[in-house]
Amino acid sequence: METKIDRAAWLNGATATCNFPAVPQVKPRRLVLLGAPGVGKGTQAELLCANLGACHLSTGDIFRAAKQSGACERTPALAAALGYMRRGDLVPDETVLALVAERVNCLRCHGGFLLDGFPRTVAQAEALEKLLKRQKLKLDAVLSYELPLEEVVARLSGRRTCPGCKAVFHIEARPPKVEGICDHCGGTLYQREDDRPESIRVRMAAYEKSTAPLADFYRGRKLLVAVPAEGTPEEIFARTLKGLENGR
Ligand code: AMP
């Protein structure tokens, strides 16, 4: 079983410390991943983290971790956020920004970071910019994964996730070695509630309205690196590394 950066401080908030923190990097990379749900950002994040030694900071994972913890540990704002998430809607900016601000130490991590699922609106991107500026930090690049809508829907409905180590599989494109079982930690794979068809439709509408304009926002700041997301995870990853290299 491989030891992964455990992201305890990110998943559980400011009072938690990571038992397996990221190793300090000479040049920590600070990246944002953009792309419609199901485009393969989670898989690319996993590959990138292993390659760069950075920590995978997914806001969706904060909400999923809260869902698994007892109801008494949830603040009212977090409990309300889980309702939005269940329906496939975006959680209000105010709640998401408060959660990220509480975790500012993760942005300062010497291993670097890979933000996945945040920012998701232009207001969140502006707030992130201010937060990083106060910490005297800058983003290196924003990777934007691009794929036609029909393919996105096919990918989402076949996606299976490990509740333990968060590894992501696909029943056809990236099946686990043993059906229903995580290759990395032996956890029982499950289908996320928001990967069901009725939630997928709401999530895609939210993406088109709120998140797609982010590409223009970052293009304007000369940070955007477009990555065609067709093909195998390895092919997409090769394009990602090339894009980062050229975007430097
Ligand atoms: P994800 O795993 O990134 O697809 O996120 C799952 C769900 O969590 C989304 O459908 C939203 O309900 C919620 N969520 C995660 N990140 C954000 C964010 N930055 N802003 C608003 N809602 C979010």
Side-chain angles (χ1 to χ4, degrees), residues 59-60 63-64 85 89 91 96 117 120 124 192 194 203:
T59 37
F63 298 126
R64 282 182 284 279
M85 185 183 171
D89 276 332
V91 174
V96 179
R120 237 182 175 95
Q124 291 180 15
R192 283 168 36 173
D194 57 354
R203 289 169 73 197

Side-chain angles (χ1 to χ4, degrees), residues 144-165:
S144 175
Y145 291 95
E146 291 165 6
L147 196 68
L149 181 64
E150 321 80 76
E151 184 136 351
V152 167
V153 174
R155 284 197 189 181
L156 277 178
S157 46
R159 183 157 78 171
R160 299 292 180 270
T161 306
C162 174
C165 70

